[in-house]
Amino acid sequence: MLTIGRLAAHAGVTVRAVRHYHQRGLLAEPERDSSGYRRYDAAAVVDLIRIKTMADAGVPLARVDELLHAGQEEFADAVAAIDADLRARIRDLTRQRRRIAELAGGERLFLPADVVAVLERLRALGVSERTVRVERDMWIMMAAQSPELLPELVAVKNASFDDAELMRLYLACDEAFDWDPGDPRLVRLAADMKAWAARQQEHEDVGPDTRALLDAHLTASSPAWERLMSLVAAP
């Protein structure tokens, strides 16, 4: 007869694991002997090895007892079901790993490649990372709210890089981020922006709710930008 420690050693588990299997009702718990110790026979070793083998194979403990007492056909069906569940979990984990890997790509996790390319063009132009992040967040909102418009919006944005005056204004707005809202340069910048806008043709835009959300994001980013937008909107 074996002590709990010897039983655990024979099966390659810890004493704690044996007690856990007792608590789960997977391994029969023998009566104590006259010395107050539990003694285990060879059948307990076999049962414990079977429990450990199934647990190591990924069988949920909640199903181990079922398999211990199943017939051959029932056992095969149960194992097939467990295998299908494991394969589904593996697929889920594989998808999660891909998503984790995409995190290394930063913006690529949230935005399509053509929008990420726009942000890279802004960086190459010399736009600060702070302003690029503001624009990135706006693209995320547009992609979520108006995905059907995204290709045209990207095309318009890419075409704007060929407009030297617009790029000058964009860089000026980037610089104005930290200006005091009362800075007189904002008045001149707003006048230049209005003059440029007056020369442009209408193009597809997001809906009014999304536009309001985008404008709110801009004004919340910088007090100077909030002042600049009010000047541009003024008649």
Side-chain angles (χ1 to χ4, degrees):
M1 301 293 285
L2 303 171
T3 63
I4 191 171
R6 294 289 294 160
L7 171 70
H10 277 299
V13 301
T14 64
V15 170
R16 183 178 180 180
V18 174
R19 292 191 174 121
H20 181 62
Y21 295 148
H22 283 326
Q23 292 171 356
R24 296 294 298 262
L26 300 177
L27 184 66
E29 196 169 359
E31 298 293 329
R32 298 182 184 275
D33 63 14
S34 58
S35 302
Y37 293 101
R38 299 189 188 281
R39 301 292 177 175
Y40 299 84
D41 57 16
V45 176
V46 173
D47 287 344
L48 184 55
I49 290 173
R50 293 178 69 200
I51 293 168
K52 177 181 183 296
T53 300
M54 284 189 277
D56 288 348
V59 176
L61 288 183
R63 302 202 63 180
V64 166
D65 186 63
E66 169 194 348
L67 295 182
L68 285 173
H69 300 96
Q72 185 172 352
E73 186 175 344
E74 293 173 326
F75 187 90
D77 290 343
V79 168
I82 292 168
D83 180 61
D85 181 63
L86 286 173
R87 282 187 276 113
R89 288 168 56 191
I90 288 169
R91 287 194 297 270
D92 289 342
L93 288 171
T94 300
R95 282 193 293 268
Q96 289 177 17
R97 288 195 65 212
R98 277 200 303 269
R99 297 292 282 176
I100 289 294
E102 288 171 355
L103 285 174
E107 287 134 0
R108 290 174 177 82
L109 179 64
F110 309 103
L111 293 167
D114 51 357
V115 175
V116 173
V118 166
L119 300 178
E120 291 301 329
R121 292 188 73 177
L122 290 175
R123 291 185 176 100
L125 186 66
V127 177
S128 69
E129 191 61 32
R130 170 197 59 207
T131 297
V132 171
R133 285 196 299 270
V134 172
E135 175 137 346
R136 176 204 64 194
D137 292 346
M138 294 174 68
W139 280 107
I140 289 173
M141 287 185 277
M142 288 189 290
Q145 299 293 321
S146 305
E148 73 285 356
L149 297 180
L150 213 58
E152 182 173 351
L153 294 173
V154 170
V156 170
K157 185 69 176 184
N158 277 318
S160 73
F161 284 97
D162 296 328
D163 186 330
E165 175 63 6
L166 178 57
M167 292 301 98
R168 181 189 72 80
L169 293 172
Y170 197 104
L171 289 171
C173 289
D174 181 30
E175 182 183 352
F177 186 95
D178 293 319
W179 291 355
D180 185 278
D183 195 311
R185 290 177 294 178
L186 289 172
V187 177
R188 294 194 295 272
L189 179 55
D192 290 345
M193 292 172 65
K194 292 173 75 171
W196 176 87
R199 299 192 298 269
Q200 307 309 306
Q201 294 181 345
E202 292 286 336
H203 61 78
E204 192 70 52
D205 195 13
V206 295
D209 290 343
T210 302
R211 174 50 57 192
L213 186 64
L214 298 176
D215 290 346
H217 182 61
L218 276 176
T219 57
S221 301
S222 160
W225 284 2
E226 182 177 12
R227 168 68 171 152
L228 182 60
M229 289 185 66
S230 69
L231 290 169
V232 171

